[in-house]
Amino acid sequence: MSTPATRIRLLRWTVQAALLWALNSPIATLPQQALQPVQTNSDQPPSPSSTNKALPAIVPANRPVIGLALEGGGALGLAHVGVLQWMEEHRIPVDRLAGTSMGSLVGALYATGTTPAEMRTLALSDAFLRVFTLQTSYVESSFRRRQDQREMPQALNIGLKHGASLRNALLVDRGVADFLATNLLTYNRNDLDYNRTPIPFRCVATDLTTLQAITFDHGPMSTAVRASISIPGVFSPARDSSGHFLVDGGIVDNLPTDVLKRDLAAEVIIAIHLEDAPLAPNDTTSIVGVLDRAFSAGIAHNVRDAEKLANVLVTVPVGQYSGTDYAKAAQLIDAGYRAAEQSRNALLPYALSAEDWNAYLAARASRCLPTPGTLLQVQVEGGDVPARRQVQSDLRPLEGHTLAPAAMERGLANIQSNESYAATYTTFAPSPTGGPEPSVDSRASTPQLGVQVHLTPNPIGPPFLLAGLNAAASTSNIAHITADLRLVDQNLGGFGSELRTSVRLGYLTDIGTEYYRQLTPNGYFLQPSARVVRQPVYIWVNQKRVAEHAQQDLGTGIQAGRTFSNHLQAFVEWNAVETHWSPISGTAGGPYLNGTSQTAQLRLVLDNAVSGTVSPQGYRLTVSVGALYDAMGSDTAPVVRFSLSRTRQWNQKNIFATSVDLDSYFKTRVAQPFLFTLGGPLRLSASSFDEYRGTDTLLTRVGYLRRLAALPTGMGKGLYGVFSYESGEIWGPDQRAIWRQNGTFGLLGSTPLGAITAGASVGDAGRRKVFITLGRLF
């Protein structure tokens, strides 16, 4: 394409070679009973399975059969909605419909009764944008995966199941699977015949196993469309019941006019072509540009051949847009509408009179399936026995009630939230014996039905290795830079249990391991842990570093409690730690200490945020109450730790944030290694790292974030201007209270690499700092 924003189209093709060797690790698997796609080739006669099914009669009968072909093109395919709107306004019927990639999605919605107006609303909704996500959303992640996203938002996720490997797609499947199941629910049936939908329909995918085009003519429509839209490298390949791997049909048949003529006996073919961008200077001055243009030539070739079969060609000029411009849905839809208007002289000869149009609409409506009714049975296939039992348990409350997509999403959220399984579902007509019947067509009344859930294990893990870089630096300070690694082995020793080992190397050394043992399906757990930390500790006086110590902690502990949901956990915790406090230079900070300490506490964690980094709305609350006892050089001390952060979004671009953090030993004398600290980026930003030490700290923050730019769809939340006020107080039994306040301004990028911040802070008492952070928010 002609602009840098369109370069993601390169990924659609450059990753294709990688997918050919990665065929043994798909993420999306089509239901085993769902689809037996028809292998097609334009030089071959029609397949029997495509021609032996009766097509509905044309209404009114005294006119030709009109077929509509919708081209693929990513976000550009939203222009089809505008064309369909114009055709309906001018009473031009569509008797047969075939689409590829985004054309298959728009076509499936229209063929099953969704109006252009409804599609426009859907394309402009947040639900549509959630299809394009780089990772499982924070809201949908389990409690432990939320911890990973908060603590290591910058991490690259490496699967270790079959050696080190990355997932084979840029985007995760859950968003697109939920979107298709929700909006094609009525036509998500195993026994569905596409000849009997309101508009007979076909969609095309590419079989990577045979290197041919395949056409879907029956089975759950959501799974057929999922195969057709699998842009290589963007969405993972789908796999059918025969073990073939399926990707975007645009590779071999991006404008399926041949399918309309061969499979659906269309006599007049209207083809919607999404015009390619002209050659631009950047297309020939870089590897990316040359490869993008070269692969586009292959698609253009099969499109030119397809156009020869069209009686009417509507060309939509979308060269100024990118295949990733889903946020520009309104402009693309309007471009389609204008293109249809430009072709009005070619289209209007097929328009119907008002009377004939109403007859056509009535015939089309008569083929609509009834809304799914009462859920009677749940069947689960794939995965191991405990996983299937978990799904059965989670969906049992839905039995006896009307099937609702939102309820199904909630019911399947638990099994997917830990990222070890993907879950999709189709429907079937239950038989008296409890199994699916081959074919049921009930249009007179709302049918009872069963749901078949398909579990697909994550092909690359567990175990998983999370790896990333974490950094924070400010003027007149030693930079805090660490390489962070985390090994997560899920379902080890039992379903829902896991071993998690974390390593941080660099400025400090921090190695910890914990085994989360799930005791019951409803979340009771036991978690033993061990940890060793070695870090430098600097003592500051009036912004000058006056001493350095080395602190080493070797500890063990255990937690017992309950994970109530993905946002609520409560537990009791006991820890025993052996500490070495060694002076390196200077006399401040006290003498050498060597001894043990124990803590016992009750902790509650409530996380209602919607993101692990910049959360537009929601709150996080952590409260712990306990005691420090048998601690070297310290009195027995009550301990209270309280943290609450709250964000609110206004007008989409504005976020207001407040937070309060309180840590207190109630002015009880404790040794230096146990003191709380303040200072550093976002913890009194104008002061040095951990400049203030005491037994009691209070930190409050008020901030305003203004979104300056949105990153491309699926690539993060964007770039923000940040303005904040921080006020912190620290005190102890042998020191008077110190109160500091500062104002901070800067830029914050919420990206797939975590949060990147750069800013400056001005405070009282002569404090000034410029800082930068990479990774998590400090």
Side-chain angles (χ1 to χ4, degrees):
M1 304 297 284
S2 61
T3 62
T6 66
R7 295 306 180 198
I8 197 169
R9 289 190 63 189
L10 170 66
L11 191 54
R12 180 175 179 175
W13 304 111
T14 56
V15 184
Q16 182 179 1
L19 290 175
L20 290 174
W21 63 260
L23 293 182
N24 63 337
S25 58
I27 294 180
T29 300
L30 301 183
Q32 291 184 2
Q33 297 92 337
L35 300 172
Q36 295 292 336
V38 180
Q39 292 281 0
T40 62
N41 187 296
S42 58
D43 298 326
Q44 296 176 349
S47 167
S49 63
S50 295
T51 58
N52 63 6
K53 301 174 183 178
L55 288 163
I58 301 303
V59 177
N62 58 345
R63 63 180 182 83
V65 179
I66 298 176
L68 180 67
L70 302 181
E71 185 178 358
L76 306 180
L78 293 171
H80 297 316
V81 177
V83 176
L84 290 169
Q85 179 186 345
W86 189 96
M87 292 177 67
E88 288 221 338
E89 289 177 2
H90 294 81
R91 302 194 298 272
I92 296 173
V94 176
D95 304 308
R96 311 286 188 257
L97 208 162
T100 296
S101 194
M102 181 57 78
S104 76
L105 175 55
V106 174
L109 291 171
Y110 190 64
T112 56
T114 305
T115 67
E118 290 169 336
M119 281 191 277
R120 183 186 184 98
T121 300
L122 195 59
L124 297 176
S125 69
D126 290 339
F128 186 69
L129 293 180
R130 283 198 294 270
V131 170
F132 310 99
T133 54
L134 284 164
Q135 61 184 30
T136 301
S137 75
Y138 193 78
V139 173
E140 295 171 338
S141 296
S142 69
F143 190 89
R144 295 182 67 79
R145 300 292 75 80
R146 284 183 175 217
Q147 289 177 323
D148 292 340
Q149 288 193 39
R150 283 199 315 274
E151 297 167 9
M152 298 184 66
Q154 80 285 19
L156 183 67
N157 198 340
I158 303 169
L160 302 177
K161 181 183 286 187
H162 305 293
S165 60
L166 301 176
R167 72 188 192 204
N168 58 4
L170 180 67
L171 305 181
V172 296
D173 264 15
R174 189 168 175 183
V176 68
D178 288 346
F179 179 86
L180 292 173
T182 296
N183 292 284
L184 294 171
L185 177 66
T186 303
Y187 297 86
N188 200 23
R189 295 168 44 163
N190 290 340
D191 61 354
L192 182 65
D193 177 359
Y194 295 1
N195 284 358
R196 305 182 71 181
T197 53
I199 300 174
F201 174 72
R202 299 290 187 270
C203 68
V204 180
T206 300
D207 189 334
L208 289 183
T209 305
T210 65
L211 302 180
Q212 291 183 352
I214 61 171
T215 301
F216 293 109
D217 66 356
H218 70 283
M221 195 167 287
S222 62
T223 50
V225 173
R226 171 62 184 84
S228 182
I229 66 174
S230 297
I231 301 173
V234 178
F235 291 113
S236 59
R239 182 169 59 181
D240 68 11
S241 58
S242 63
H244 288 205
F245 295 85
L246 314 177
V247 295
D248 193 331
I251 297 172
V252 290
D253 193 0
N254 203 40
L255 185 62
T257 54
D258 58 328
V259 175
L260 287 172
K261 185 170 286 292
R262 182 185 63 246
D263 291 8
L264 293 172
E267 297 169 336
V268 172
I269 295 177
I270 301 172
I272 313 303
H273 170 52
L274 307 172
E275 186 178 54
D276 295 317
L279 181 70
N282 289 341
D283 291 335
T284 58
T285 57
S286 68
I287 293 176
V288 171
V290 171
L291 288 175
D292 184 19
R293 196 69 184 177
F295 283 118
S296 296
I299 297 179
H301 179 75
N302 75 60
V303 168
R304 282 195 297 271
D305 287 343
E307 290 173 354
K308 297 174 183 177
L309 297 178
N311 301 93
V312 178
L313 181 66
V314 178
T315 298
V316 186
V318 288
Q320 71 270 37
Y321 298 103
S322 160
T324 62
D325 279 336
Y326 295 98
K328 297 180 180 179
Q331 296 96 308
L332 287 163
I333 293 171
D334 292 343
Y337 187 92
R338 290 192 299 270
E341 175 63 25
Q342 289 294 319
S343 301
R344 65 182 293 120
N345 292 337
L347 292 170
L348 285 179
Y350 304 103
L352 300 179
S353 66
E355 181 180 357
D356 286 348
W357 177 253
N358 289 333
Y360 161 78
L361 291 180
R364 194 171 76 181
S366 70
R367 295 189 290 272
C368 289
L369 294 177
T371 302
T374 304
L375 176 60
L376 294 186
Q377 299 173 17
V378 174
Q379 299 178 356
V380 185
E381 66 171 23
D384 55 21
V385 173
R388 293 196 294 270
R389 288 174 179 167
Q390 182 68 61
V391 173
Q392 290 278 5
S393 175
D394 292 340
L395 295 183
R396 190 167 294 120
L398 305 185
E399 295 181 12
H401 299 278
T402 300
L403 181 65
M408 282 298 301
E409 284 186 31
R410 290 192 296 269
L412 295 177
N414 189 30
I415 193 66
Q416 299 183 90
S417 64
N418 230 21
E419 300 183 12
S420 56
Y421 283 101
T424 58
Y425 68 94
T426 57
T427 63
F428 63 89
S431 69
T433 59
E437 290 184 346
S439 180
V440 173
D441 185 17
S442 174
R443 300 171 191 268
S445 61
T446 301
Q448 296 176 331
L449 77 163
V451 161
Q452 190 168 53
V453 176
H454 316 276
L455 295 182
T456 306
N458 192 319
I460 67 170
F464 297 101
L465 177 65
L466 281 64
L469 183 69
N470 201 61
S474 67
T475 51
S476 305
N477 277 261
I478 294 178
H480 291 194
I481 302 174
T482 59
D484 293 1
L485 303 172
R486 175 167 289 179
L487 179 66
V488 180
D489 197 355
Q490 298 168 333
N491 301 324
L492 181 66
F495 182 75
S497 300
E498 69 176 45
L499 178 68
R500 185 165 66 180
T501 300
S502 302
V503 177
R504 298 180 66 195
L505 301 173
Y507 166 78
L508 54 73
T509 299
D510 185 347
I511 303 173
T513 187
E514 59 192 34
Y515 180 62
Y516 178 89
R517 177 63 178 179
Q518 184 168 293
L519 302 177
T520 63
N522 59 353
Y524 287 99
F525 71 91
L526 194 66
Q527 179 176 287
S529 62
R531 186 180 181 190
V532 59
V533 180
R534 180 174 176 82
Q535 62 181 333
V537 178
Y538 301 104
I539 308 300
W540 301 82
V541 175
N542 293 325
Q543 301 187 77
K544 293 184 179 181
R545 195 172 67 208
V546 297
E548 179 183 354
H549 291 252
Q551 180 175 343
Q552 179 174 298
D553 295 324
L554 177 62
T556 185
I558 190 167
Q559 296 177 358
R562 183 179 179 185
T563 304
F564 293 90
S565 65
N566 63 350
H567 62 269
L568 177 61
Q569 187 181 81
F571 57 88
V572 293
E573 180 180 34
W574 172 84
N575 290 287
V577 181
E578 182 177 344
T579 299
H580 298 271
W581 176 265
S582 306
I584 302 298
S585 63
T587 59
Y592 172 83
L593 293 173
N594 182 20
T596 62
S597 63
Q598 298 183 61
T599 57
Q601 59 185 333
L602 172 65
R603 181 176 297 180
L604 173 72
V605 180
L606 178 58
D607 185 352
N608 196 39
V610 298
S611 172
T613 50
V614 179
S615 181
Q617 58 190 22
Y619 60 88
R620 295 191 187 99
L621 171 67
T622 302
V623 180
S624 63
V625 179
L628 171 73
Y629 61 98
D630 291 340
M632 62 175 189
S634 306
D635 297 334
T636 297
V639 183
V640 171
R641 308 197 71 174
F642 174 90
S643 177
L644 174 63
S645 60
R646 181 80 166 98
T647 56
R648 291 180 179 272
Q649 188 176 38
W650 176 68
N651 200 23
Q652 295 189 340
K653 291 187 176 182
N654 305 280
I655 298 175
F656 298 93
T658 57
S659 67
V660 177
D661 296 282
L662 170 68
D663 299 311
S664 179
Y665 288 117
F666 294 90
K667 298 185 72 172
T668 306
R669 285 184 173 82
V670 299
Q672 280 282 348
F674 310 121
L675 294 177
F676 300 119
T677 66
L678 285 179
L682 306 183
R683 298 180 60 249
L684 290 181
S685 303
S687 299
S688 298
F689 289 103
D690 301 327
E691 181 174 344
Y692 312 105
R693 304 174 63 85
T695 59
D696 302 84
T697 67
L698 175 64
L699 175 65
T700 59
R701 288 170 290 191
V702 178
Y704 167 67
L705 290 78
R706 170 72 177 182
R707 194 176 72 188
L708 305 177
L711 297 180
T713 300
M715 297 296 289
K717 294 180 176 63
L719 179 67
Y720 294 86
V722 180
F723 306 89
S724 69
Y725 167 78
E726 298 172 290
S727 174
E729 189 170 6
I730 191 162
W731 62 94
D734 299 319
Q735 67 183 69
R736 63 181 180 84
I738 298 173
W739 179 43
R740 291 286 179 262
Q741 54 184 333
N742 58 241
T744 301
F745 61 93
L747 296 175
L748 187 156
S750 179
T751 76
L753 298 176
I756 303 173
T757 64
S761 187
V762 179
D764 56 4
R767 266 64 176 174
R768 307 284 189 275
K769 286 290 183 290
V770 175
F771 63 88
I772 184 170
T773 71
L774 168 65
R776 62 181 180 271
L777 289 175
F778 286 76

